[in-house]
Amino acid sequence: MGTKLEFIMTGPSEEESERIWAKLLSEAQALESLLSRFDGSSEVSALNSISQAGEVFPSHELLEIIADAEEYRMLTSGLFDVTLGTSKPSIVLSGRGVDLRGGSLDFGGYAKGLLCRRAKALLSGEPAVESAYLDFGGSSISTIGTHPFGDCWKVSVCDPFSGRMLKEVELRASSLSVSGSQPHYEGHIKDPRTGRFIEGRCLVICEALDPLDAEVGSTAAVVSGGEKLEFLQKNLHLSQVSFFNL
Amino acid sequence: MTQNTKDTPEVDLSLRRFIKGLGAAAGGAVLLSQTPWLTSCTPEKLSEAVSEGPARIGIIGTGSRGQYHIHNLLRMPLVGKIVALCDDYAPNLEAASALVPSARKYSDYRKLLEDKELDGVIIATPLGSHARITLDCLSAGKHCFCEKAMALTMEECKQVYSAYKASDRVLFYCMQRMYDPKYVKAFQMIKTGLIGDVVGMRCHWFRNADWRRPVPSPELERRINWRLYRESSAGLMTELGSHQIEVCTIVTGLVPESVAGFGGIVYWKDGREVYDSVSLTYRFADGRNIAYESLISNKFNGMEEQILGKDGTVDLSKGVYYLEDDRSVYGVRRLLDQVKEGVFASVPTAGPSWRPELMGDHVPHYILANSTAKVSGESMIGADNDGSFEILEAFCQSCITGEKAANVVEEAYCATILCLMGNEAMDTGSVVKMPEDCKIPYMKF
Ligand SMILES: NC(=O)c1ccc[n+]([C@@H]2O[C@H](COP(=O)([O-])OP(=O)(O)OC[C@H]3O[C@@H](n4cnc5c(N)ncnc54)[C@H](O)[C@@H]3O)[C@@H](O)[C@H]2O)c1
């Protein structure tokens, strides 16, 4: 997915850690081969390459993911959308088929959130894991339990341009997603309603119990330009959302 | 020139590609102007030279370094052709001759200089003879490439420098870092602010070896182990330090005003006269220092040239840099440091914040992508991919075009004078200032 996953956990022995790591890795690889835009042989790449010809038929797993993403589109009233370059309605779900004509699938933010969700579930299901801190690309953080020497996990989010600290967040088994502008990298997030890249510098911090809610929330909040924060907070069950103009 | 090589295939040369890449980059002209010595060997000038080349080259001193150059020259037939060899020690002359049987052989370098069928000369003799042979070379009208440090004494350096200024001949000193792409790139990155203001420099060269060569019979000791005796060598400073001190003057664009330090024969008490351990501080007029150390009875620290900046550090010899506030070091790495130290603090993400001052917390970034080439500094002959091939090739090209390479002689002069000042400081136990009569207009303090 073009980014780095790093995590710390306490509890398991070295041997157990190896086993858990291997499970996590295969989970990540499975999602990668399903959703990655960077991998030309992923299912999404394959679908995108033939989608202009008419209805396509994704695997059952991908179909579920598309349906879930479609629900997020509705919950965010179109601020979050995994289809790009289409005029609405872009995805027509008809039985087992999907019509992507005029557009293509891009699971960028969604895939990260989904992997975090699955990784968190995987770690929570391991009795030996007492606490864990998962960092996906520095912008998606999920936690279990607390820091070994504290009563939560404390994360400070900084302005990537100035280095100034913007907010310190205390995570207790919750997840954090940070979205927005980055130095040296314009055109990061597209407004699905216009197809244009978001202009102006901003940064959004979202916290939620579910990593995917946080991920979708932060992307949608950037697209909204900070307009619909309360709406997003309610619909996506965000415990907090903060918007900063940089 | 003897041979027309117009129809020869294209030359595939890393430095040229590198220079071309620089020229093509945004602001390439500005970048090249920061390393002006490279403008005499651009790819365009190379193709011109190749059409007239190769230069006819003679080598004086065919010992280990001389033979290393022979191997390199044989790999650049479009610009250089070895036509003459000279050594006053028969076994070394024969060894070289076996590599290039067609080359004319001389035991007296003055005879080689009379050879009319010769464009340029490589001098790879011990330091004590550099000045004399170089001066004779220039007055014989030959282009000249001499190894490393300019001369054994400051007086000789001045003579060579004046002769060069008065001559229309090309002169090179084999300070190969100036032609090593990872150094050149780093010089430019430092100049364009990668590590902020340069606040200091730390260079060292550590080996664990006696610096000796086997001697077939005792009367040859001083000839073969010339590095160990003061009549022919200025020791670690000129042999190793010169490369590293030069890097510091290039990076700062300035020359230190004074030096203090201590040296001694700590371990190899075998009759040698030069120090086997040196530790010096060079001081610039603005208060910045170069900490310099070399020792040949412990190699733990290896060879490094660290340029310390307000915002980061470049380790030139390794081709890596480290940033003080490294935004690529987020979250988990810092968290790991915290947990190991038993600290509960906030984990910074998406930007810099608190970090413990631990060495291990710095992440290396490579100056040239895909290049992890590391020169250990253990070889007494020369390393692969250290710029020696490229500088020699640039010299051959200059022999054809007659174009001098900017700054090369000046930098070698500055570095050699500074190394000799260092030796004087260690010998006298005093602070030695740059002698007024050694200053040249090129030097900025
Ligand atoms: N740039 C570098 O990284 C680098 C590396 C190694 C050596 N060097 C330099 O190369 C030079 C030679 O070093 P080396 O290790 O090859 O030494 P060496 O002793 O192996 O070779 C020197 C040769 O010069 C010959 N010689 C001495 N006086 C002569 C004279 N008057 N006429 C003809 N031949 C003469 C000797 O017989 C010997 O064969 C030194 O200046 C050294 O500093 C530079």
Side-chain angles (χ1 to χ4, degrees):
Chain A
M1 287 168 208
T3 183
K4 192 155 56 169
L5 170 68
E6 293 180 300
F7 73 102
I8 285 186
M9 60 185 167
T10 63
S13 66
E14 206 173 322
E15 215 173 291
E16 279 174 314
S17 305
E18 296 282 345
R19 185 183 51 77
I20 294 170
W21 171 241
K23 271 169 89 173
L24 203 66
L25 207 63
S26 73
E27 192 77 63
Q29 281 159 349
L31 263 191
E32 175 105 22
S33 67
L34 204 60
L35 302 182
S36 177
R37 284 173 303 139
F38 300 101
D39 173 359
S41 63
S42 73
E43 188 177 346
V44 161
S45 301
L47 280 189
N48 280 340
S49 70
I50 55 162
S51 61
Q52 302 316 315
E55 208 176 10
V56 289
F57 296 91
S59 65
H60 181 67
E61 189 178 8
L62 185 54
L63 199 66
E64 268 189 3
I65 289 173
I66 295 173
D68 187 44
E70 185 59 12
E71 199 175 323
Y72 275 121
R73 188 176 70 80
M74 291 188 298
L75 285 172
T76 60
S77 68
L79 292 168
F80 179 88
D81 193 339
V82 297
T83 68
L84 283 179
T86 58
S87 50
K88 297 294 138 198
S90 56
I91 304 183
V92 182
L93 288 167
S94 62
R96 288 195 25 72
V98 179
D99 191 346
L100 288 169
R101 266 173 288 193
S104 65
L105 290 168
D106 180 343
F107 282 95
Y110 181 94
K112 243 168 43 158
L114 183 59
L115 179 56
C116 284
R117 179 198 267 175
R118 292 190 177 177
K120 194 173 170 182
L122 192 155
L123 294 177
S124 307
E126 290 286 343
V129 176
E130 289 159 6
S131 66
Y133 181 98
L134 264 137
D135 180 331
F136 206 168
S139 59
S140 307
I141 288 150
S142 291
T143 64
I144 291 172
T146 62
H147 188 290
F149 304 105
D151 61 351
C152 63
W153 295 94
K154 265 196 277 187
V155 177
S156 54
V157 181
C158 304
D159 176 342
F161 294 90
S162 69
R164 185 173 56 98
M165 215 243 273
L166 294 174
K167 192 179 175 91
E168 191 168 272
V169 186
E170 299 190 351
L171 299 176
R172 293 183 172 81
S174 57
S175 299
L176 192 75
S177 170
V178 182
S179 283
S181 333
Q182 293 169 14
H184 320 300
Y185 186 39
E186 300 296 328
H188 177 48
I189 295 176
K190 259 187 189 171
D191 184 338
R193 299 164 303 181
T194 62
R196 292 215 196 90
F197 286 115
I198 303 298
E199 283 172 20
R201 287 184 185 180
C202 69
L203 190 132
V204 171
I205 304 171
C206 272
E207 185 191 350
L209 218 52
D210 174 9
L212 192 48
D213 286 343
E215 198 67 46
V216 169
S218 68
T219 307
V222 169
V223 172
S224 80
E227 300 266 299
K228 302 204 166 169
L229 302 184
E230 265 178 50
F231 162 79
L232 290 171
Q233 181 160 16
K234 187 166 125 297
N235 275 6
L236 296 171
H237 317 291
L238 306 175
S239 36
Q240 58 170 314
V241 49
S242 317
F243 184 97
F244 301 89
N245 279 308
L246 303 180
Chain B
M1 311 292 154
T2 50
Q3 206 187 320
N4 191 316
T5 47
K6 262 198 179 102
D7 300 328
T8 44
E10 230 182 283
V11 198
D12 174 35
L13 305 162
S14 61
L15 181 71
R16 314 306 165 131
R17 278 202 301 271
F18 177 71
I19 296 174
K20 202 166 170 168
L22 285 182
V30 178
L31 288 180
L32 266 179
S33 73
Q34 290 165 355
T35 48
W37 56 92
L38 297 180
T39 56
S40 72
C41 57
T42 57
E44 296 73 33
K45 290 179 185 169
L46 174 71
S47 36
E48 257 180 69
V50 164
S51 69
E52 288 181 42
R56 297 161 305 175
I57 303 293
I59 301 170
I60 302 177
T62 57
S64 78
R65 187 71 180 173
Q67 290 177 37
Y68 169 90
H69 288 316
I70 290 176
H71 285 289
N72 277 344
L73 280 162
L74 292 174
R75 287 169 49 213
M76 51 181 94
L78 296 183
V79 289
K81 179 176 194 308
I82 303 165
V83 298
L85 301 168
C86 168
D87 202 298
D88 60 1
Y89 179 56
N92 286 353
L93 182 58
E94 290 315 315
S97 181
L99 297 171
V100 200
S102 62
R104 298 179 283 281
K105 291 191 280 182
Y106 299 91
S107 57
D108 181 343
Y109 78 85
R110 285 164 303 193
K111 289 277 179 294
L112 176 139
L113 293 180
E114 286 168 12
D115 194 328
K116 296 273 179 296
E117 308 286 300
L118 197 62
D119 304 310
V121 171
I122 293 171
I123 303 171
T125 61
L127 180 65
S129 57
H130 282 186
R132 186 164 37 86
I133 304 180
T134 304
L135 291 169
D136 287 347
C137 229
L138 293 177
S139 44
K142 308 292 187 206
H143 299 300
C144 179
F145 175 101
C146 185
E147 260 308 328
K148 205 149 67 183
M150 193 172 255
L152 187 59
T153 68
M154 294 190 196
E155 200 45 48
E156 285 177 339
C157 289
K158 281 166 30 189
Q159 286 172 17
V160 171
Y161 184 70
S162 316
Y164 167 69
K165 289 309 262 187
S167 168
D168 66 349
R169 299 292 85 183
V170 166
L171 178 60
F172 271 66
Y173 281 89
C174 189
M175 295 292 212
Q176 61 266 34
R177 283 161 172 70
M178 293 175 83
Y179 287 79
D180 181 334
K182 72 175 175 302
Y183 279 81
V184 171
K185 185 86 202 225
F187 294 155
Q188 294 174 338
M189 288 165 95
I190 293 167
K191 288 242 159 78
T192 46
L194 172 73
I195 55 167
D197 291 342
V198 172
V199 293
M201 281 140 277
R202 287 182 56 176
C203 302
H204 51 250
W205 200 324
F206 294 101
R207 285 174 172 168
N208 198 343
D210 61 5
W211 223 23
R212 282 189 161 279
R213 297 239 167 97
V215 180
S217 107
E219 77 278 6
L220 292 173
E221 163 65 12
R222 285 187 171 250
R223 163 185 269 280
I224 290 186
N225 283 315
W226 60 267
R227 279 182 172 78
L228 311 182
Y229 301 99
R230 290 189 174 215
E231 72 212 18
S232 48
S233 165
L236 294 173
M237 291 313 296
T238 49
E239 289 308 303
L240 304 182
S242 57
H243 289 296
Q244 304 186 292
I245 299 296
E246 185 193 60
V247 154
C248 298
T249 59
I250 291 177
V251 162
T252 55
L254 300 172
V255 175
E257 272 191 331
S258 56
V259 57
F262 295 96
I265 301 177
V266 171
Y267 185 82
W268 303 107
K269 298 177 197 287
D270 54 4
R272 72 183 59 204
E273 296 165 0
V274 300
Y275 302 134
D276 67 0
S277 161
V278 298
S279 175
L280 306 114
T281 303
Y282 283 89
R283 191 164 182 79
F284 290 89
D286 59 15
R288 287 182 291 181
N289 292 327
I290 306 170
Y292 189 79
E293 253 187 302
S294 182
L295 183 71
I296 50 174
S297 48
N298 176 296
K299 64 179 179 188
F300 179 74
N301 289 292
M303 173 185 72
E304 283 185 325
E305 288 122 34
Q306 298 176 349
I307 311 302
L308 315 178
K310 177 68 183 65
D311 303 330
T313 300
V314 175
D315 186 337
L316 290 158
S317 58
K318 293 199 184 100
V320 295
Y321 64 90
Y322 305 85
L323 297 176
E324 295 280 299
D325 266 324
D326 194 338
R327 292 175 192 200
S328 73
V329 190
Y330 49 76
V332 167
R333 283 161 200 249
R334 298 198 194 175
L335 183 57
L336 256 178
D337 283 326
Q338 288 179 17
V339 174
K340 278 190 215 146
E341 300 282 303
V343 174
F344 173 53
S346 171
V347 186
T349 181
S353 176
W354 171 87
R355 76 190 303 166
E357 285 171 350
L358 303 174
M359 267 281 278
D361 199 30
H362 290 77
V363 167
H365 302 273
Y366 290 94
I367 303 243
L368 292 180
N370 308 324
S371 161
T372 53
K374 192 188 156 213
V375 177
S376 76
E378 285 188 69
S379 167
M380 273 173 78
I381 305 164
D384 286 340
N385 303 321
D386 73 345
S388 295
F389 182 91
E390 287 81 358
I391 191 172
L392 183 61
E393 199 179 54
F395 166 68
C396 291
Q397 180 175 334
S398 282
C399 286
I400 304 169
T401 61
E403 183 174 349
K404 295 183 174 188
N407 301 13
V408 168
V409 174
E410 286 78 3
E411 286 296 339
Y413 176 88
C414 296
T416 309
I417 295 285
L418 289 167
C419 290
L420 298 175
M421 283 166 59
N423 279 346
E424 191 180 323
M426 293 186 287
D427 287 345
T428 58
S430 59
V431 176
V432 171
K433 286 195 164 20
M434 172 68 69
E436 283 304 321
D437 64 348
C438 287
K439 291 185 180 170
I440 57 170
Y442 180 80
M443 291 179 175
K444 299 199 172 40
F445 295 93

